[in-house]
Amino acid sequence: MSEAPIRTVFFVSDGTGITAETLGHSLLAQFPEGKFRQVRAPFIDNIDKAIDCAAHIREATAADGIRPIVFSTLVNETTVAALHKADALFLDLFDRFIGPLEAELGQRSTHAVGRFHGIADSMNYKNRIEAINFAMAHDDGVSNVGELAEADVVLVGVSRSGKTPTSLYLAMQFGVKAANYPLIPEDFERNKLPGELHKYRDKLFGLTIAPERLSQIRQERRPNSRYASLENCRYEIDSAQKLMRRENIRWLESTTKSIEEISATILQTVRVDRPGF
Amino acid sequence: MSEAPIRTVFFVSDGTGITAETLGHSLLAQFPEGKFRQVRAPFIDNIDKAIDCAAHIREATAADGIRPIVFSTLVNETTVAALHKADALFLDLFDRFIGPLEAELGQRSTHAVGRFHGIADSMNYKNRIEAINFAMAHDDGVSNVGELAEADVVLVGVSRSGKTPTSLYLAMQFGVKAANYPLIPEDFERNKLPGELHKYRDKLFGLTIAPERLSQIRQERRPNSRYASLENCRYEIDSAQKLMRRENIRWLESTTKSIEEISATILQTVRVDRPGF
């Protein structure tokens, strides 16, 4: 069997290219044996830039000995035409989907360039920025537990169980205000939730993690510490799970899950009282 | 002209639904006059869940008086078939793009469920988590400037110019390690970059913002303070721009840009020395 050649993959957009890249990554993940070299081409918003981009596509063909794959979200027809002068497999988001949508909605699309954030999204955008600021201000416990009234979600779990990246992702992607609150050995000794967390039980969501993995993560931070020892990690995780079970807190195991998966699961479980949820 | 009815839009996925949602948002932004109610349906990974989801689609049809629009990234054919028993405009990512990709690559796709993070992505995933931790640890200045050696990008700008959300987005989306460093009045008096930032000039990127907008943002934090006054914001922005110009730092105006746009622009400008860039 001959080895598959390396393919260059372009993500071409008149805006940031985030959509083209997200689309492309999902599709390429279905071909785990493929070898891909990725090139981002954002802000291709006029014909000169499209001509340049077509030249890069031709160069990649020459270098690889095979034509590239191009995920594109260009909306302007002249720009598209200039790009298509190069040879490639073009997988064009708007080309495939805008037609059926126009027919279904009985409306012409605006063909507006770089409309990743449409008018409908501007409220969402403000929510997202506010939520990021909130997550930053309420990372790893809060001095004034009353501020948790404003939170949509409060993540609890031992140190390094994944609370911080998850709360930031919830904010960034969904505009959800997530605070996080560590469970520490003193909480286990008292065997109750810290501070006034019990007041916000509906918003609580627990993260747990395999002790072996936790120990590994903590070793990178504080090598050979008691904090990172497998024995201590086992004790903390075991105590945290007992506490969460007794307090009836919903939780999940983060060990083999991505922050995207953890976040999507939380949003299915915790009710967010805001439009859009 | 009759008012367009509200349409329910479903984002259906066997994984997190992030791809379906990103795709859907980009497309719907082309129809700014449309009124859409959005429903997330992640983790539809077996036939029972697909039958449930089809029931929700039928309920939405009954409630709206018009069939919904469904953005789907399901890969399993039986699940897809169960979903398609409901009536809707189905815009199916895999259905449209997997065929051409299989033909082009000469490989069958795995049709693996929930492969948002394929094998090829696991390194990227680790980079992203590390980058998030890095951004958190190097937000708003660092005590030990030597740690900046590890940064891919160092954002500079006055307080509240957008450095924090941008560095978190760079980390989360691209796995880029971004530190950020505030420019404060003392820097302007000395008229030079703080600390040893000049050593890392290649990694520096400046953010600036319209004084009016800055004053508005700061007012929300500290109402009626000198910090938030328009006069002071004008002085700080003016001084920061002079400093950046003199030090030859590339910068952009963040006022009307989203964090996605700012981040994509930074990645076009600052060279990140890692595979994938």
Side-chain angles (χ1 to χ4, degrees):
Chain A
M1 233 177 79
S2 70
E3 193 91 347
I6 290 185
R7 286 285 189 127
T8 303
V9 177
F10 286 83
F11 304 108
V12 182
S13 168
D14 47 43
T16 62
I18 309 286
T19 303
E21 209 175 325
T22 305
L23 170 78
H25 283 170
S26 287
L27 287 162
L28 295 178
Q30 294 289 325
F31 299 92
E33 283 164 37
K35 295 197 192 73
F36 305 109
R37 186 173 70 88
Q38 303 178 23
V39 179
R40 292 188 185 92
F43 306 121
I44 307 297
D45 51 9
N46 64 40
I47 194 161
D48 290 339
K49 290 184 190 170
I51 290 169
D52 264 7
C53 190
H56 288 302
I57 292 172
R58 282 187 207 101
E59 284 163 22
T61 307
D64 299 344
I66 192 161
R67 68 177 187 167
I69 294 162
V70 178
F71 294 96
S72 153
T73 56
L74 295 182
V75 296
N76 180 290
E77 284 166 23
T78 11
T79 318
V80 171
L83 188 74
H84 281 231
K85 292 236 165 93
D87 182 34
L89 174 68
F90 288 100
L91 298 174
D92 194 308
L93 182 65
F94 286 98
D95 184 44
R96 309 271 172 136
F97 292 116
I98 279 289
L101 265 174
E102 286 185 338
E104 182 74 15
L105 296 170
Q107 290 173 37
R108 290 278 296 160
S109 72
T110 56
H111 275 69
V113 162
R115 291 208 53 109
F116 185 73
H117 295 284
I119 294 159
D121 271 344
S122 65
M123 260 303 283
N124 286 345
Y125 187 69
K126 194 161 170 276
N127 285 342
R128 286 170 58 210
I129 298 291
E130 275 177 19
I132 293 168
N133 290 333
F134 185 87
M136 292 293 284
H138 301 88
D139 182 49
D140 217 21
V142 277
S143 41
N144 179 3
V145 81
E147 292 174 30
L148 293 182
E150 219 191 309
D152 296 310
V153 179
V154 182
L155 300 177
V156 295
V158 303
S159 161
R160 295 286 122 194
S161 54
K163 301 183 299 300
T164 296
T166 304
S167 48
L168 289 171
Y169 190 81
L170 283 167
M172 191 87 78
Q173 183 75 25
F174 301 108
V176 164
K177 285 186 180 167
N180 74 69
Y181 216 99
L183 296 178
I184 57 173
E186 290 155 53
D187 302 317
F188 307 139
E189 280 154 34
R190 293 182 305 138
N191 201 12
K192 54 187 286 206
L193 288 173
E196 307 207 296
L197 276 190
H198 61 275
K199 282 192 189 168
Y200 303 98
R201 186 159 299 149
D202 289 353
K203 302 176 178 184
L204 297 185
F205 195 98
L207 293 183
T208 186
I209 182 172
E212 295 73 20
R213 178 74 191 122
L214 182 64
S215 171
Q216 210 179 12
I217 294 170
R218 289 182 171 185
Q219 285 288 356
E220 282 172 29
R221 294 238 140 183
R222 294 197 221 153
N224 305 318
S225 61
R226 173 165 161 67
Y227 166 79
S229 73
L230 183 55
E231 191 197 347
N232 180 57
C233 290
R234 279 204 178 114
Y235 163 73
E236 286 194 29
I237 288 294
D238 185 53
S239 310
Q241 292 185 355
K242 272 185 194 139
L243 184 59
M244 293 193 286
R245 236 178 249 123
R246 227 210 28 250
E247 298 278 349
N248 217 0
I249 297 171
R250 298 145 300 179
W251 48 281
L252 67 72
E253 245 264 23
S254 70
T255 318
T256 59
K257 290 193 163 61
S258 66
I259 44 176
E260 284 83 353
E261 289 166 318
I262 299 169
S263 302
T265 305
I266 292 170
L267 289 185
Q268 280 201 302
T269 311
V270 179
R271 201 194 143 130
V272 177
D273 286 322
R274 234 164 342 102
F277 282 92
Chain B
M1 232 177 80
S2 69
E3 191 92 345
I6 290 185
R7 286 287 189 126
T8 303
V9 178
F10 286 83
F11 304 109
V12 182
S13 167
D14 47 44
T16 62
I18 309 288
T19 303
E21 209 175 327
T22 305
L23 169 79
H25 284 170
S26 287
L27 287 163
L28 294 179
Q30 294 289 325
F31 299 91
E33 284 164 37
K35 295 197 193 72
F36 305 109
R37 186 173 71 88
Q38 302 179 22
V39 179
R40 294 188 183 95
F43 306 123
I44 306 297
D45 52 9
N46 64 41
I47 193 160
D48 289 338
K49 291 184 190 171
I51 290 170
D52 264 7
C53 190
H56 288 303
I57 293 172
R58 283 188 206 101
E59 284 162 24
T61 307
D64 299 345
I66 192 162
R67 67 177 188 169
I69 294 163
V70 179
F71 295 96
S72 153
T73 56
L74 296 182
V75 295
N76 180 291
E77 283 165 25
T78 9
T79 318
V80 170
L83 188 74
H84 280 231
K85 290 236 164 94
D87 183 31
L89 174 68
F90 288 99
L91 298 175
D92 194 309
L93 182 66
F94 286 99
D95 184 44
R96 310 268 173 139
F97 292 117
I98 280 289
L101 266 174
E102 286 186 339
E104 182 74 16
L105 296 170
Q107 289 173 38
R108 291 277 296 161
S109 72
T110 56
H111 275 70
V113 163
R115 291 207 55 108
F116 184 74
H117 296 284
I119 293 158
D121 271 343
S122 65
M123 261 303 283
N124 286 346
Y125 187 71
K126 193 159 171 278
N127 285 342
R128 287 170 59 210
I129 297 290
E130 275 177 18
I132 293 167
N133 290 333
F134 185 87
M136 292 292 285
H138 302 88
D139 181 47
D140 216 23
V142 279
S143 42
N144 179 2
V145 82
E147 292 173 29
L148 293 182
E150 219 191 308
D152 296 311
V153 179
V154 181
L155 300 178
V156 293
V158 303
S159 162
R160 297 284 124 193
S161 55
K163 301 184 300 298
T164 296
T166 303
S167 48
L168 289 171
Y169 190 81
L170 283 167
M172 192 84 80
Q173 183 75 25
F174 300 108
V176 163
K177 286 186 180 168
N180 74 70
Y181 217 99
L183 297 178
I184 57 173
E186 289 156 53
D187 301 319
F188 307 139
E189 280 155 33
R190 293 182 305 138
N191 202 10
K192 56 186 284 208
L193 287 173
E196 308 208 296
L197 276 189
H198 62 274
K199 281 193 189 168
Y200 302 99
R201 184 158 300 150
D202 290 353
K203 302 177 180 185
L204 296 186
F205 195 97
L207 294 184
T208 187
I209 182 172
E212 294 73 20
R213 177 76 191 120
L214 181 64
S215 171
Q216 209 178 11
I217 295 170
R218 288 182 173 186
Q219 285 288 356
E220 284 171 29
R221 295 236 139 184
R222 295 197 219 154
N224 306 316
S225 61
R226 174 164 159 67
Y227 167 78
S229 73
L230 183 55
E231 192 198 344
N232 179 57
C233 290
R234 279 205 178 112
Y235 163 73
E236 285 194 29
I237 289 295
D238 186 53
S239 309
Q241 292 186 356
K242 272 185 193 139
L243 183 59
M244 292 193 287
R245 235 178 249 124
R246 228 211 26 250
E247 298 278 350
N248 217 0
I249 297 171
R250 299 146 301 179
W251 49 281
L252 66 73
E253 246 261 25
S254 70
T255 317
T256 59
K257 291 195 162 62
S258 66
I259 44 175
E260 284 83 352
E261 289 167 318
I262 299 169
S263 302
T265 305
I266 292 170
L267 289 185
Q268 280 200 303
T269 313
V270 178
R271 200 194 144 129
V272 176
D273 286 322
R274 232 159 349 97
F277 283 92

mmCIF file of all heavy atoms in Angstrom, chain A residues 156 200-207 244 247-252 269-271:
data_model
loop_
_atom_site.group_PDB
_atom_site.id
_atom_site.type_symbol
_atom_site.label_atom_id
_atom_site.label_comp_id
_atom_site.label_asym_id
_atom_site.label_seq_id
_atom_site.Cartn_x
_atom_site.Cartn_y
_atom_site.Cartn_z
ATOM 1 N N VAL A 156 -17.839 23.358 40.756
ATOM 2 C CA VAL A 156 -17.084 22.970 41.943
ATOM 3 C C VAL A 156 -16.262 21.719 41.644
ATOM 4 O O VAL A 156 -16.617 20.923 40.774
ATOM 5 C CB VAL A 156 -18.006 22.712 43.165
ATOM 6 C CG1 VAL A 156 -18.701 23.984 43.607
ATOM 7 C CG2 VAL A 156 -19.035 21.627 42.858
ATOM 8 N N TYR A 200 -26.911 28.190 46.375
ATOM 9 C CA TYR A 200 -26.954 28.236 44.908
ATOM 10 C C TYR A 200 -26.955 26.841 44.311
ATOM 11 O O TYR A 200 -26.427 26.622 43.235
ATOM 12 C CB TYR A 200 -25.778 29.072 44.381
ATOM 13 C CG TYR A 200 -25.791 30.468 44.949
ATOM 14 C CD1 TYR A 200 -24.999 30.821 46.028
ATOM 15 C CD2 TYR A 200 -26.648 31.421 44.402
ATOM 16 C CE1 TYR A 200 -25.050 32.096 46.575
ATOM 17 C CE2 TYR A 200 -26.706 32.696 44.928
ATOM 18 C CZ TYR A 200 -25.901 33.028 46.012
ATOM 19 O OH TYR A 200 -25.972 34.285 46.546
ATOM 20 N N ARG A 201 -27.554 25.895 45.059
ATOM 21 C CA ARG A 201 -27.477 24.496 44.652
ATOM 22 C C ARG A 201 -27.928 24.267 43.207
ATOM 23 O O ARG A 201 -27.355 23.453 42.494
ATOM 24 C CB ARG A 201 -28.279 23.626 45.606
ATOM 25 C CG ARG A 201 -28.098 22.154 45.281
ATOM 26 C CD ARG A 201 -28.429 21.275 46.459
ATOM 27 N NE ARG A 201 -27.577 21.557 47.590
ATOM 28 C CZ ARG A 201 -27.958 21.415 48.855
ATOM 29 N NH1 ARG A 201 -29.173 21.002 49.134
ATOM 30 N NH2 ARG A 201 -27.114 21.667 49.829
ATOM 31 N N ASP A 202 -28.956 25.005 42.743
ATOM 32 C CA ASP A 202 -29.471 24.794 41.383
ATOM 33 C C ASP A 202 -28.429 25.096 40.312
ATOM 34 O O ASP A 202 -28.537 24.633 39.183
ATOM 35 C CB ASP A 202 -30.661 25.719 41.111
ATOM 36 C CG ASP A 202 -31.879 25.286 41.904
ATOM 37 O OD1 ASP A 202 -31.813 24.210 42.529
ATOM 38 O OD2 ASP A 202 -32.879 26.032 41.902
ATOM 39 N N LYS A 203 -27.463 25.934 40.668
ATOM 40 C CA LYS A 203 -26.459 26.334 39.676
ATOM 41 C C LYS A 203 -25.180 25.526 39.771
ATOM 42 O O LYS A 203 -24.268 25.706 38.978
ATOM 43 C CB LYS A 203 -26.067 27.800 39.904
ATOM 44 C CG LYS A 203 -27.193 28.780 39.847
ATOM 45 C CD LYS A 203 -26.651 30.158 40.185
ATOM 46 C CE LYS A 203 -27.764 31.191 40.097
ATOM 47 N NZ LYS A 203 -27.233 32.548 40.320
ATOM 48 N N LEU A 204 -25.094 24.683 40.790
ATOM 49 C CA LEU A 204 -23.831 23.966 41.011
ATOM 50 C C LEU A 204 -23.670 22.819 40.020
ATOM 51 O O LEU A 204 -24.622 22.111 39.704
ATOM 52 C CB LEU A 204 -23.759 23.420 42.437
ATOM 53 C CG LEU A 204 -23.759 24.436 43.579
ATOM 54 C CD1 LEU A 204 -23.560 23.724 44.915
ATOM 55 C CD2 LEU A 204 -22.662 25.478 43.380
ATOM 56 N N PHE A 205 -22.445 22.676 39.560
ATOM 57 C CA PHE A 205 -22.116 21.517 38.733
ATOM 58 C C PHE A 205 -20.706 21.079 39.120
ATOM 59 O O PHE A 205 -19.794 21.908 39.181
ATOM 60 C CB PHE A 205 -22.190 21.866 37.243
ATOM 61 C CG PHE A 205 -22.208 20.641 36.381
ATOM 62 C CD1 PHE A 205 -23.406 20.126 35.882
ATOM 63 C CD2 PHE A 205 -21.027 19.962 36.088
ATOM 64 C CE1 PHE A 205 -23.431 18.975 35.111
ATOM 65 C CE2 PHE A 205 -21.034 18.807 35.319
ATOM 66 C CZ PHE A 205 -22.246 18.313 34.823
ATOM 67 N N GLY A 206 -20.558 19.793 39.396
ATOM 68 C CA GLY A 206 -19.269 19.296 39.862
ATOM 69 C C GLY A 206 -18.432 18.688 38.746
ATOM 70 O O GLY A 206 -18.958 18.103 37.810
ATOM 71 N N LEU A 207 -17.125 18.889 38.855
ATOM 72 C CA LEU A 207 -16.202 18.203 37.946
ATOM 73 C C LEU A 207 -15.327 17.275 38.764
ATOM 74 O O LEU A 207 -14.781 17.660 39.790
ATOM 75 C CB LEU A 207 -15.315 19.214 37.212
ATOM 76 C CG LEU A 207 -16.002 20.148 36.226
ATOM 77 C CD1 LEU A 207 -14.962 21.027 35.533
ATOM 78 C CD2 LEU A 207 -16.805 19.373 35.200
ATOM 79 N N MET A 244 -20.232 15.592 46.965
ATOM 80 C CA MET A 244 -21.164 15.944 45.886
ATOM 81 C C MET A 244 -22.373 15.010 45.885
ATOM 82 O O MET A 244 -23.495 15.437 45.649
ATOM 83 C CB MET A 244 -20.444 15.930 44.542
ATOM 84 C CG MET A 244 -19.386 17.049 44.431
ATOM 85 S SD MET A 244 -18.745 17.342 42.766
ATOM 86 C CE MET A 244 -17.689 15.921 42.553
ATOM 87 N N GLU A 247 -24.585 16.026 48.814
ATOM 88 C CA GLU A 247 -25.248 17.314 48.605
ATOM 89 C C GLU A 247 -26.107 17.304 47.342
ATOM 90 O O GLU A 247 -26.678 18.320 46.966
ATOM 91 C CB GLU A 247 -24.203 18.443 48.513
ATOM 92 C CG GLU A 247 -23.368 18.619 49.770
ATOM 93 C CD GLU A 247 -24.091 19.447 50.828
ATOM 94 O OE1 GLU A 247 -25.137 20.044 50.522
ATOM 95 O OE2 GLU A 247 -23.601 19.480 51.981
ATOM 96 N N ASN A 248 -26.139 16.153 46.684
ATOM 97 C CA ASN A 248 -27.002 15.996 45.510
ATOM 98 C C ASN A 248 -26.616 16.945 44.362
ATOM 99 O O ASN A 248 -27.474 17.548 43.717
ATOM 100 C CB ASN A 248 -28.460 16.231 45.921
ATOM 101 C CG ASN A 248 -29.396 15.299 45.164
ATOM 102 O OD1 ASN A 248 -28.940 14.487 44.348
ATOM 103 N ND2 ASN A 248 -30.682 15.434 45.403
ATOM 104 N N ILE A 249 -25.316 17.098 44.156
ATOM 105 C CA ILE A 249 -24.818 17.958 43.077
ATOM 106 C C ILE A 249 -24.577 17.111 41.835
ATOM 107 O O ILE A 249 -23.956 16.048 41.903
ATOM 108 C CB ILE A 249 -23.494 18.639 43.497
ATOM 109 C CG1 ILE A 249 -23.741 19.544 44.695
ATOM 110 C CG2 ILE A 249 -22.889 19.425 42.337
ATOM 111 C CD1 ILE A 249 -22.463 20.086 45.311
ATOM 112 N N ARG A 250 -25.058 17.592 40.703
ATOM 113 C CA ARG A 250 -24.807 16.865 39.457
ATOM 114 C C ARG A 250 -23.335 17.020 39.090
ATOM 115 O O ARG A 250 -22.784 18.113 39.225
ATOM 116 C CB ARG A 250 -25.692 17.422 38.334
ATOM 117 C CG ARG A 250 -27.159 17.239 38.642
ATOM 118 C CD ARG A 250 -27.972 18.376 38.124
ATOM 119 N NE ARG A 250 -27.574 19.655 38.710
ATOM 120 C CZ ARG A 250 -28.130 20.818 38.403
ATOM 121 N NH1 ARG A 250 -29.088 20.850 37.507
ATOM 122 N NH2 ARG A 250 -27.727 21.933 38.958
ATOM 123 N N TRP A 251 -22.712 15.956 38.605
ATOM 124 C CA TRP A 251 -21.299 16.080 38.259
ATOM 125 C C TRP A 251 -20.934 15.146 37.131
ATOM 126 O O TRP A 251 -21.682 14.218 36.805
ATOM 127 C CB TRP A 251 -20.405 15.852 39.466
ATOM 128 C CG TRP A 251 -20.697 14.652 40.310
ATOM 129 C CD1 TRP A 251 -21.675 14.548 41.248
ATOM 130 C CD2 TRP A 251 -20.010 13.396 40.303
ATOM 131 N NE1 TRP A 251 -21.634 13.318 41.832
ATOM 132 C CE2 TRP A 251 -20.631 12.584 41.285
ATOM 133 C CE3 TRP A 251 -18.930 12.878 39.581
ATOM 134 C CZ2 TRP A 251 -20.207 11.279 41.549
ATOM 135 C CZ3 TRP A 251 -18.502 11.592 39.845
ATOM 136 C CH2 TRP A 251 -19.137 10.791 40.815
ATOM 137 N N LEU A 252 -19.783 15.396 36.535
ATOM 138 C CA LEU A 252 -19.278 14.476 35.516
ATOM 139 C C LEU A 252 -17.779 14.305 35.682
ATOM 140 O O LEU A 252 -17.098 15.117 36.310
ATOM 141 C CB LEU A 252 -19.658 14.914 34.104
ATOM 142 C CG LEU A 252 -19.107 16.178 33.476
ATOM 143 C CD1 LEU A 252 -17.650 16.054 33.100
ATOM 144 C CD2 LEU A 252 -19.876 16.453 32.182
ATOM 145 N N THR A 269 -27.672 20.359 31.389
ATOM 146 C CA THR A 269 -28.090 19.998 32.741
ATOM 147 C C THR A 269 -28.532 21.211 33.540
ATOM 148 O O THR A 269 -29.585 21.210 34.171
ATOM 149 C CB THR A 269 -26.892 19.326 33.475
ATOM 150 O OG1 THR A 269 -26.350 18.331 32.627
ATOM 151 C CG2 THR A 269 -27.344 18.717 34.780
ATOM 152 N N VAL A 270 -27.695 22.257 33.528
ATOM 153 C CA VAL A 270 -28.007 23.452 34.311
ATOM 154 C C VAL A 270 -28.875 24.367 33.463
ATOM 155 O O VAL A 270 -28.561 24.635 32.310
ATOM 156 C CB VAL A 270 -26.714 24.185 34.738
ATOM 157 C CG1 VAL A 270 -27.052 25.447 35.526
ATOM 158 C CG2 VAL A 270 -25.826 23.269 35.559
ATOM 159 N N ARG A 271 -29.937 24.833 34.045
ATOM 160 C CA ARG A 271 -30.845 25.683 33.300
ATOM 161 C C ARG A 271 -30.314 27.111 33.290
ATOM 162 O O ARG A 271 -30.068 27.691 34.348
ATOM 163 C CB ARG A 271 -32.197 25.638 34.001
ATOM 164 C CG ARG A 271 -33.326 26.026 33.105
ATOM 165 C CD ARG A 271 -34.538 26.271 33.964
ATOM 166 N NE ARG A 271 -35.234 27.384 33.374
ATOM 167 C CZ ARG A 271 -36.514 27.373 33.112
ATOM 168 N NH1 ARG A 271 -37.228 26.340 33.425
ATOM 169 N NH2 ARG A 271 -37.077 28.422 32.553
#
